Amino acid sequence: MVVDVSYISKEHSEDATTASSGVTGILAVQGAFAEHAAMLDRLGAPWKLLRAREDFDESIARVILPGGESTTIARLMRLFGVLEPLRARIREGMPVWGTCAGMILLAKNIENDGRRHFAAMDITVRRNGYGRQLGSFIARGEFAGMKGDEMP
């Protein structure tokens, strides 16, 4: 899905400001938050980006933890004061969905990492071992007339 660049600067959907409840919060400290916002717009669901403690108001009914780099996301959640209010809301039963790094943040067990963040889902995950997110896969393709088998 290609996302309109305007989603990087949007803070909420048009209907989020009038919604008194039922708004989906999207954690937006790092990662693929714009893609989730665009999809919620396509579905007609109100959303609001969560970047700071103050963003957790009574309208937030559920949260999406997007993909990105889980260590960075966890560090920024602590720095911006988002971790504890989000942890409290999850423990109170607020629905939460994690994609990729979000799933790592929710896992009760991270097989190759001793850290625990929310420990809210009874799952075991294994973090990739390739370093930076951009370097976590290898692909071959044709670029400017070169074929993949000609590349080093």
Side-chain angles (χ1 to χ4, degrees), residues 110-129:
I110 304 170
E111 197 170 274
N112 54 345
D113 191 333
R115 291 172 286 195
R116 301 297 174 272
H117 307 286
F118 294 112
M121 291 182 70
D122 193 15
I123 59 172
T124 298
V125 298
R126 181 184 309 190
R127 296 186 67 205
N128 71 35

Side-chain angles (χ1 to χ4, degrees), residues 69 127-136:
E69 205 293 308
R127 296 186 67 205
N128 71 35
Y130 299 106
R132 292 181 44 216
Q133 187 178 12
L134 291 176
S136 64

Side-chain angles (χ1 to χ4, degrees), residues 49-75:
L49 297 184
L50 305 175
R51 291 193 166 114
R53 179 181 297 269
E54 303 80 49
D55 296 333
F56 287 93
D57 59 31
E58 293 304 314
S59 70
I60 304 297
R62 65 198 66 79
V63 169
I64 294 174
L65 305 177
E69 205 293 308
S70 60
T71 303
T72 300
I73 292 172
R75 174 180 247 176

Side-chain angles (χ1 to χ4, degrees), residues 1-87:
M1 174 180 180
V2 177
V3 176
D4 183 329
V5 72
S6 69
Y7 276 95
I8 295 171
S9 61
K10 286 185 177 182
E11 291 298 316
H12 52 77
S13 61
E14 290 180 22
D15 52 354
T17 56
T18 59
S20 59
S21 65
V23 175
T24 300
I26 306 169
L27 183 65
V29 295
Q30 191 268 341
F33 59 87
E35 290 82 354
H36 288 283
M39 184 55 69
L40 289 174
D41 270 350
R42 288 179 64 190
L43 296 171
W47 57 270
K48 177 181 174 184
L49 297 184
L50 305 175
R51 291 193 166 114
R53 179 181 297 269
E54 303 80 49
D55 296 333
F56 287 93
D57 59 31
E58 293 304 314
S59 70
I60 304 297
R62 65 198 66 79
V63 169
I64 294 174
L65 305 177
E69 205 293 308
S70 60
T71 303
T72 300
I73 292 172
R75 174 180 247 176
L76 292 173
M77 282 191 306
R78 284 181 179 87
L79 182 67
F80 299 145
V82 176
L83 182 70
E84 290 310 318
L86 183 52
R87 178 180 283 143

